[in-house]
Amino acid sequence: MDLMLLVGPFILAVYSVTGRSVGIISQKTVKVVAGHDAILPCHLKPPFNETTLMVQWKRDGKQVHLYRSKADSLDDQDKNFRKRTSLFRDKMDKGNCSLKLTNVTEEDAGNYTCHVRFKNESGSNKVSVYNVTLIVDTESKQKPDPNISGENPVPVIGILGAIFVGLFVIAAVIVCVKWKPCGNNKPEPKTDNGTTGKRSRGGRRRRRNNKNSTSDNMQSTSEASP
């Protein structure tokens, strides 16, 4: 950031002499995990003539990506960035000149500069300079997952316990069905006629008659006694 603040006035002076207007330098920071893709922001405020647009991304003086005459020009691209950079071509007419960098490595960290040259509606040359600092996080990628490495065995134990309980319940049901009667299946009492279930009405009626006869006999015996 300090370097851009020092170089900024020099760029303004150079382009002022050549008759070109230079926009305000912007400073942004992007942090990404190693192995992931990074988008370095660079947004130009319309309106502008898209046919005159030139976008040049650099890092430490090395060319990262160049776009001009409505096409990519990658002949002088640094070999470390080959087949890893792209622009959002379908959004450039709206001023999106951001750079997409795929499969970021630790070596990609550093300061990136985006130079955008174009002509406005009046035909005046304009130049905007954007500075983006890329920070690559390598610790998040190397940090092991405790659930995979075995440092946290709780999920595995829980799954095994659930399987064991399920097998135990299934085995208990099979034993209950095949070898032992389930529930309280008590045998029904036999009735007077030798059948099971509720006693018949006839049996109850005969018992009442027998009791009445016994009572009459006892009464007659007591009356006959002196």
Side-chain angles (χ1 to χ4, degrees), residues 200-226:
S200 63
R201 293 182 180 179
R204 290 196 296 270
R205 190 178 297 112
R206 285 194 296 271
R207 285 194 297 274
R208 285 198 297 269
N209 293 335
N210 293 334
K211 290 181 180 180
N212 293 334
S213 298
T214 303
S215 299
D216 293 341
N217 293 331
M218 291 177 65
Q219 186 176 2
S220 298
T221 303
S222 60
E223 289 178 353
S225 299

Side-chain angles (χ1 to χ4, degrees), residues 41-42 55-58 97 112-116 128-131:
C42 180
V55 180
Q56 186 179 38
W57 279 92
K58 284 190 173 184
C97 302
Y112 291 76
T113 304
C114 176
H115 294 266
V116 182
S128 296
V129 181
Y130 303 84
N131 188 50

Side-chain angles (χ1 to χ4, degrees), residues 120-149:
N120 58 14
E121 291 182 330
S122 62
S124 301
N125 292 323
K126 299 285 185 179
V127 177
S128 296
V129 181
Y130 303 84
N131 188 50
V132 181
T133 300
L134 178 62
I135 299 175
V136 180
D137 182 7
T138 57
E139 294 181 0
S140 298
K141 182 180 179 181
Q142 296 175 356
K143 187 177 180 180
D145 189 345
N147 293 331
I148 297 176
S149 63

Side-chain angles (χ1 to χ4, degrees), residues 32 34-39 59 64-65 74 77-87 99-109 112 134 136:
V32 66
H36 291 205
D37 299 343
I39 297 178
R59 192 200 71 169
V64 178
H65 196 99
L74 306 178
Q77 184 182 40
D78 185 83
K79 62 181 181 178
N80 293 328
F81 296 101
R82 295 220 176 131
K83 297 182 179 181
R84 297 174 54 217
T85 63
S86 62
L87 301 179
L99 176 72
K100 181 178 180 180
L101 181 61
T102 60
N103 194 20
V104 174
T105 64
E106 187 177 1
E107 290 74 18
D108 294 329
Y112 291 76
L134 178 62
V136 180

Side-chain angles (χ1 to χ4, degrees), residues 8 60 69 72 93 106 110 161 194 201:
D60 298 333
S69 302
D72 292 327
D93 58 339
E106 187 177 1
R201 293 182 180 179

